[in-house]
Amino acid sequence: MVIYDFHQREPVRGPTGATLVVGSGAAGLGLALHLADLGHEVLMVESGGFPDDDDDRLAHDHLNEGEAAGGPTTTRLVEGRARGLGGAAQLWHGQCMRLHPLDLRERVWVPHSGWPLSLEDLDPHYDAAERWLGLSGLGYDARRWSEHPRLDPLDWDGQHLLHDFTEYVHRPLLGTEQHRQLAAHPRVTTVLHATATAVHVDGGRATGVDVVGDDGRAQHLEARRVVLAAGAIENARLLQLSDPAGVGLGAGREHTGRYLQDHPVVFTADVLPRDHRVLQDRYIALHRGRRRLFPKVRLSPAAQERHGLLDATAVFVHDHDDAPMAAAHRLAVALRTRRVPARLAGEVGLALRAPRSLARDVYRRYGRGLATGARPSRVRLQVWLEQAPDPDSRVTLGSSTDALGLRRARVDWRCGDLEIETSRRFTRWIATDLSRTGVAELAELDVLVDDDAWRASAADAFHPSGTARMSSSPRTGVVDRDLQVHGVADLFVLGSSAFPTAGYANPTLTIIALAFRLATHIDHIE
């Protein structure tokens, strides 16, 4: 791999006829490596630097600042995004699951729903994405309980509620993990510290991208085609910055930035278990060798259709006030993500203050594949929701500018009544089943009866999507089913920004599946 660092004032000499990829997160990395494996030259530009340079990443956080009209604050716009090789995947904890068939269907009770793809179109690319990430490929439903035969699953009714799982990638920091593969690949050229400022369109096709360094030095990079893979906020912003009117590019430009979705996350009830071990053993984390599963409860497709609801999942959050065990947990996370804690000696000393508890939890983790056995101080039900697409929930260009002189993104994220209603019905069905089976009772929080309390309590999950939505026509979206911008040849938008709807699934696996699908498409049309 040829690496250009724009800080060094060296003119970039990219390969002739390359596919230029803007962004090196899960989308950009997945596309660049897969496309290069198919024999194509790739030029990838990244606003930040090397993946494990935390100081460099923090130094570029200011470029993620924006204006917030509602929903996530400007702080969360910075916390949930990262510039540097690996992008937001350097912040990722590694949770994966696939979208469900209903998530991609047009649903009469969900305005603006429906993908121009089916799950069958995505399945082979999901398979490839799971292999690339080192996942088991064993699915995400009740069959995963068979890996832990000593645990009896809870008896959800099946009519409203189903078992659900996510699976974690063992090493989720994709910039770190794929760095060697990039370095060894002769067909990928990467430019670091180069922020894309505009896409050039000439004669109805994309011809290249302008980039600028931190010092203001600019260069135009020519390309055979351009793929924007910089995240849902930045993709929309770059399309708008490329248009003198600030609207977007292509025949569906008026949809650019609209239909902004995330996954609203809200605590809806306190859980009062009769025996804390029943939920704690089953609903924190389950381990089998290097494989880690997160069991959840899911709102059934039948209930969604019957009652006109969105897709949703729920988790049981166990709070522990045990400081030594909390320190041990932080050390375990640091080991898994290969990051040294800021206070390593202090964390180790604190963890060793409770040797019996530590020995118990080591046995549970490595002997039985279970999480901590400490009694929780509180258990809460947390609901993760799909959003109904809303054209007034959107990203536009703000009035302020960043350090490079570019207009910042202005984010107006909105939650609707359907999200609130879904969370309430879902919670009460969970309460009914927990009471019926004698596992627990629920004490409802104010969000279950007070809309204002719900809106004040709900947070985004750092999963923005929908801002350059996929559609069969420019009348309803920005890109077509192959992610090409309607009316602009050789310009593609990749990532969660293309999701018409996002289900409740963590988006990274689907992003990588779309990256592999796009690589296959480009290879076929070349």
Side-chain angles (χ1 to χ4, degrees), residues 4-19:
Y4 286 91
D5 190 336
F6 221 53
H7 280 171
Q8 298 176 355
R9 300 176 178 271
E10 182 181 2
V12 175
R13 296 180 178 85
T16 303
T19 295

Side-chain angles (χ1 to χ4, degrees), residues 467-522:
T467 56
R469 68 194 324 250
M470 196 187 314
S471 67
S472 57
S473 164
R475 294 190 301 272
T476 54
V478 177
V479 301
D480 65 18
R481 69 193 310 270
D482 295 316
L483 305 182
Q484 181 171 297
V485 172
H486 289 297
V488 182
D490 299 320
L491 177 58
F492 300 83
V493 181
L494 173 63
S496 59
S497 49
F499 294 6
T501 53
Y504 63 75
N506 302 71
T508 307
L509 182 65
T510 303
I511 289 171
I512 296 170
L514 284 176
F516 286 7
R517 184 177 185 273
L518 178 57
T520 302
H521 171 70
I522 290 173

Side-chain angles (χ1 to χ4, degrees), residues 281-295:
D281 286 358
R282 291 163 178 79
Y283 285 98
I284 296 183
L286 299 176
H287 301 265
R288 185 180 178 88
R290 295 173 61 179
R291 192 178 303 157
R292 182 162 66 113
L293 299 177
F294 190 2

